[in-house]
């Protein structure tokens, strides 16, 4: 078994070349933002029975550069009672009884002129049982008016 662990760091790199980022960082890393040092909203007030969703929204408690003066990092968890597509792109098809985690970084100022942000994702599990990541074809269909890359975890 493997269980996803909540992300601990928001990364920022000085670079915009996203090819090959699985093997090496896209550029010089800035000091990461530690999510444990964020102030988070009270999630209870964000529970929405109509959309079966809850939102965690936070920003750094200490923000010496002022990057998050108007910014926030948001995690939104939504459960789907039936199959369909969400209203927001990339509108991936989902089945009933599944849930989605949406991550949004909004309004934060980059620390350079060509910043690329990344979020740490980790899986916990007993060694070889952990999945590998396989890049899939990009999604570019009538439901997604942009190009998205789909990465698949394979056990
Ligand atoms: C981006 O990085 C890849 C792999 O490191 C490299 O082959 C490619 O030339 C780079 N592209 C640009 C525009 O620098
Ligand atoms: C969060 O909000 C709920 C209800 O709105 C309240 O009962 C609870 O005490 C709050 N928790 C914190 C840590 O403020
Ligand atoms: C935050 O927003 C205010 C009002 O729009 C703007 O004047 C200010 O420059 C912004 N600060 C940053 C760090 O983006
Ligand atoms: C961003 O670009 C401007 C204009 O070229 C330059 O003055 C500034 O120093 C650059 N900022 C950083 C952080 O590199």
């Amino acid at each position: 078994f493997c269980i996803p662990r909540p992300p601990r760091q928001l990364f920022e790199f000085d670079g915009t070349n996203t090819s090959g980022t699985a093997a090496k960082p896209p550029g010089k890393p800035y000091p990461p933002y530690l999510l444990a040092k964020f102030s988070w909203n009270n999630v209870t007030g964000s529970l929405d029975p109509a959309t079966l969703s809850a939102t965690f929204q936070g920003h750094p408690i200490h923000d010496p550069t002022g990057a998050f003066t108007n910014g926030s990092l948001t995690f939104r968890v939504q459960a789907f009672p039936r199959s369909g597509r969400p209203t927001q792109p990339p509108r991936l098809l989902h089945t009933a009884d599944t849930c989605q985690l949406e991550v949004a970084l909004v309004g934060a100022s980059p620390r350079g002129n060509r910043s690329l942000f990344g979020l740490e994702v980790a899986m916990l599990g007993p060694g070889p049982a952990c999945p590998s990541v396989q890049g899939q074809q990009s999604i570019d269909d009538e439901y997604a008016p942009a190009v998205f890359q789909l990465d698949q975890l394979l056990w």
Side-chain angles (χ1 to χ4, degrees), residues 17-20 24:
N17 186 351
T18 56
S19 61
K24 61 170 182 56

Side-chain angles (χ1 to χ4, degrees), residues 41-107:
N41 69 320
N42 180 349
V43 73
T44 309
S46 76
L47 294 174
D48 183 354
T51 57
L52 301 178
S53 69
T55 304
F56 300 82
Q57 190 170 60
H59 55 84
I61 296 167
H62 300 292
D63 186 22
T65 65
F68 277 82
T69 302
N70 299 322
S72 66
L73 179 66
T74 301
F75 295 90
R76 182 168 179 264
V77 184
Q78 183 175 17
F80 301 110
R82 62 190 74 84
S83 61
R85 292 178 187 274
T87 53
Q88 292 296 316
R91 306 198 62 205
L92 288 177
L93 189 63
H94 58 73
T95 54
D97 299 327
T98 56
C99 62
Q100 170 181 279
L101 172 64
E102 187 180 307
V103 181
L105 178 64
V106 177

Side-chain angles (χ1 to χ4, degrees), residues 8-13 29-35 37-38 60 68 111 118 120:
R8 295 184 303 186
Q9 305 184 73
L10 173 68
F11 299 110
E12 184 178 357
F13 300 97
Y30 293 97
Y33 294 104
L34 303 180
L35 304 194
K37 296 185 174 173
F38 273 42
F68 277 82
R111 283 175 280 186
E120 177 185 41

Side-chain angles (χ1 to χ4, degrees), residues 12-15 25-31 114 116:
E12 184 178 357
F13 300 97
D14 177 29
K28 183 178 73 70
Y30 293 97
R114 41 169 208 163
L116 190 71

